[in-house]
Structures are given as C-alpha cells and as structure tokens.
Amino acid sequence: MESTLLTNLLVFNNTLQPELMRSVHVYRRGDGEKREVEREFVFSESGSYGEMQATPIPGLVKSRVSEVCEGHRNGVWLCVFAFHADHTPQFCRIPPVLLVTRNPKLKMIPNLLDDLHVIYKLDRKEEDSDIAQDYTGEERQGNSNNCQPSWKVFPVLDQDLNCLPYEDDESESLDNETDVESSPGLLAKKKRAPSDLVAKISLSDLVKYFGMPIVEASRNLNVGLTVLKRKCREFGIPRWPHRKIKSLDSLIHDLQEEVKSQELEDREAALAVAKRQRMLESEKENIEKKPFMDIQSETKRFRQDVFKRRHRARAVGKHNSTVSST
C-alpha cells in the first residue's frame, strides 16, 4: 500500500446549518504528487455523526489551500480549523468540537478522526517541547538562585495533550494521578487538578497572572503546566505573554522616571514623554485583552533606542572611571 502524508486539513462549518461540516484533506504521496479530497459530514447535536456523499463545492477554497486560515469565509462556509504541515506554527488551536476527548462522537467518522489523530500527535510533541523550554529557562533560573539541582522533566507520552487529563476515566483516576514538581531538596507530589476546576478557568483568570512566568502562574492557578498551556490554546493564546508584559512594564517605568526629571527642565519634553507613556500603557491593556497580539513595531524601535542609550551610558561611565583611575 502506497504511503501518504497529510499536508493540509481545512474544516468548514455551515453558518446557516451549523450541523453541516465540510473538510478538505490534502495528502502527499511517496512520489511527491498531491491528492486533494473533499468530504462532508453531519454533526447532529442530538443524534449521531455521519459522513455524506460529498459533491465538491466549486470555489470552496478560492485561493490555494496552503493560504487559507481560520476565519476564511466563502458564502455560508466558515473555516473553523486550518492545519498546514509546512507552516510555522502548523495551526493555532483545535476547537473543542474536533477534540475526540471533548466530542466522542468523532469516532463515528473515522475518515476525519484518523487525520485529526495525526494532528493530535504533532500538537503533543510541540507542547512537550514548550514544556522542556519553560523548565530549562524559568525553572533553571529559580533553581540557580536557591543553589538547588534542577530536576529533569520527562514528558508524558501516553496522554493526549489536546484534552483535559484522562477525561475519559472516572473522577477516581483523576484524583489518583499526580504531577511531579521540583522543590528544594525533595520531589513533591501534587494531585492533578480535577476536570471541573480546569473547565471553570476563564480568560479573565489567566489575565491576572500574565505578569509572571507561566510556571509560577500554573502554581497560583493550582493546575499543572501542561493543563495551563492547553487552556491557553483554547483561548487562542499561542505563547504565554509574560515577556511582552514585562518588557512594556520596564519601558513604562523608565518613562515615569524620565517624566519626573524632565518636568523641572523642559515642560514640552515632559509632555511628550508622558504621551509615550500613555501609549505604552494602552498597548499593555490591549495585549492583556488580546494576548495573541504582538508588540507594535514602533514600540520595538523605541525599545531598541532605549537599549542603545543604556549601552552608550554604560560605555561612557566605564570610560570615565578608567580615565579617573589613571
């Protein structure tokens, strides 16, 4: 049997008849040739799921498949999920309706579920990689301050990271599962957060902890790091915004100090600095509301200028101290 590789998957929802779904699958064969398949399904809310005889809709994908993203609309069809193997990231988030642990009825339509399983595995690998990076970055810094050895984190490979932990099992299995967290001197075992607690976490709950590292935020929320990352993806947050918030806070603090010094020397300059400060505060509020947003290009240029001024000031101070000592 010739092997094929899933390169693209688009899922569309009918906005007039929400129970109708369409998918576009693109496979790459071993010889490099691509094959495109269009399917149609019924996602009955009260009944079962099923695949119907699909007649390709001309122009469902007006542009190239690889250029379609979530939110793309063609008539009554709205793209709710887009996967592209050649893109970085390959997808933003998997909606709950396409998660087999949230929506077991997907097992009734194996042609779609088989391809979703491929994406689940990719999402799990990416999440494991992110966890390792966060522990080696943020946890290593905390461990070095306490002069304690850092504990190696082993990814859980037998769990679907796109869903709540072991959701298919009863609450007893959830209570028995434990997360291992590093603590000074000993390994402390912590019970896995129950699914009802995880489900109640809202975006407003996450916003309260955007100003701290994700490891610290997970502790304050009483959930594991993996669960918190999963909740972030449900809300469309690709990366924890701590670094962006911290960078803006630093710039705002610098401007506050500059306003104080300029008020006595140059009133107009002080007003200009205060205006810049208000712009940064507004940008910070926007990022807290929409954490997927990036820092504006103008702010990045201003931040670079601040770094350069600091570097020049340190260089001049070092030169003057050298001259005075000689």
Side-chain angles (χ1 to χ4, degrees), residues 210-211 236-252 280 283-284 286-288 290-296 299-300 303:
F210 281 167
I237 306 174
R239 301 290 296 180
W240 187 252
H242 161 63
R243 297 181 187 276
K244 291 186 287 189
I245 299 295
K246 184 178 179 181
S247 178
L248 290 174
D249 279 337
S250 177
L251 292 176
I252 291 171
L280 292 178
E283 183 174 355
K284 177 186 172 183
N286 289 334
I287 290 179
E288 289 175 341
K290 301 178 180 179
F292 54 83
M293 291 178 57
D294 195 7
I295 293 179
Q296 297 180 7
T299 303
K300 291 180 179 179
R303 181 176 58 185

Side-chain angles (χ1 to χ4, degrees), residues 102 120 123-135 153-166 178-181 190 192-193 198 201 206 214-219 221-234 237-238 240:
R102 301 288 183 88
Y120 295 159
D123 189 35
R124 181 171 61 189
K125 290 178 181 178
E126 179 182 347
E127 196 160 301
D128 289 340
S129 174
D130 287 344
I131 293 170
Q133 291 176 6
D134 281 311
Y135 270 93
V153 179
F154 294 95
V156 181
L157 298 178
D158 59 345
Q159 177 184 340
D160 181 5
L161 299 185
N162 294 291
C163 59
L164 290 173
Y166 303 96
T178 59
D179 283 334
V180 178
E181 294 188 352
K190 178 183 177 182
R192 189 178 297 278
V198 176
I201 296 178
L206 300 184
I214 189 170
V215 174
E216 188 177 344
S218 68
R219 289 172 181 160
L221 288 166
N222 294 318
V223 298
L225 182 63
T226 304
V227 175
L228 177 54
K229 283 181 171 287
R230 191 178 309 122
K231 291 297 295 186
C232 287
R233 296 189 182 189
E234 287 183 14
I237 306 174
W240 187 252

Side-chain angles (χ1 to χ4, degrees), residues 197-217:
L197 173 64
V198 176
K200 291 178 181 178
I201 296 178
S202 63
L203 180 58
S204 60
D205 295 324
L206 300 184
V207 171
K208 300 174 185 176
Y209 303 104
F210 281 167
M212 60 180 64
I214 189 170
V215 174
E216 188 177 344

Side-chain angles (χ1 to χ4, degrees), residues 99-162:
L99 293 174
V100 67
T101 48
R102 301 288 183 88
N103 186 10
K105 290 183 181 180
L106 289 170
K107 296 176 182 178
M108 301 178 184
I109 45 176
N111 282 336
L112 177 59
L113 182 59
D114 289 347
D115 285 347
L116 288 173
H117 273 306
V118 174
I119 299 173
Y120 295 159
K121 294 177 181 178
L122 293 173
D123 189 35
R124 181 171 61 189
K125 290 178 181 178
E126 179 182 347
E127 196 160 301
D128 289 340
S129 174
D130 287 344
I131 293 170
Q133 291 176 6
D134 281 311
Y135 270 93
T136 55
E138 294 164 353
E139 287 291 292
R140 182 187 301 161
Q141 182 179 358
N143 288 333
S144 63
N145 293 337
N146 296 326
C147 298
Q148 296 291 340
S150 59
W151 298 96
K152 184 177 291 185
V153 179
F154 294 95
V156 181
L157 298 178
D158 59 345
Q159 177 184 340
D160 181 5
L161 299 185
N162 294 291

Side-chain angles (χ1 to χ4, degrees), residues 263-315:
E263 282 180 344
L264 301 177
E265 301 175 3
D266 189 339
R267 181 67 178 174
E268 292 185 2
L271 292 175
V273 173
K275 181 180 179 181
R276 169 77 70 174
Q277 177 186 334
R278 289 193 295 271
M279 290 173 59
L280 292 178
E281 290 172 346
S282 175
E283 183 174 355
K284 177 186 172 183
E285 291 177 0
N286 289 334
I287 290 179
E288 289 175 341
K289 294 176 182 177
K290 301 178 180 179
F292 54 83
M293 291 178 57
D294 195 7
I295 293 179
Q296 297 180 7
S297 300
E298 183 180 354
T299 303
K300 291 180 179 179
R301 288 193 295 269
F302 173 68
R303 181 176 58 185
Q304 188 66 24
D305 291 339
V306 172
F307 291 159
K308 289 180 180 179
R309 288 201 299 268
R310 288 177 180 172
H311 176 73
R312 284 195 295 265
R314 284 195 297 267

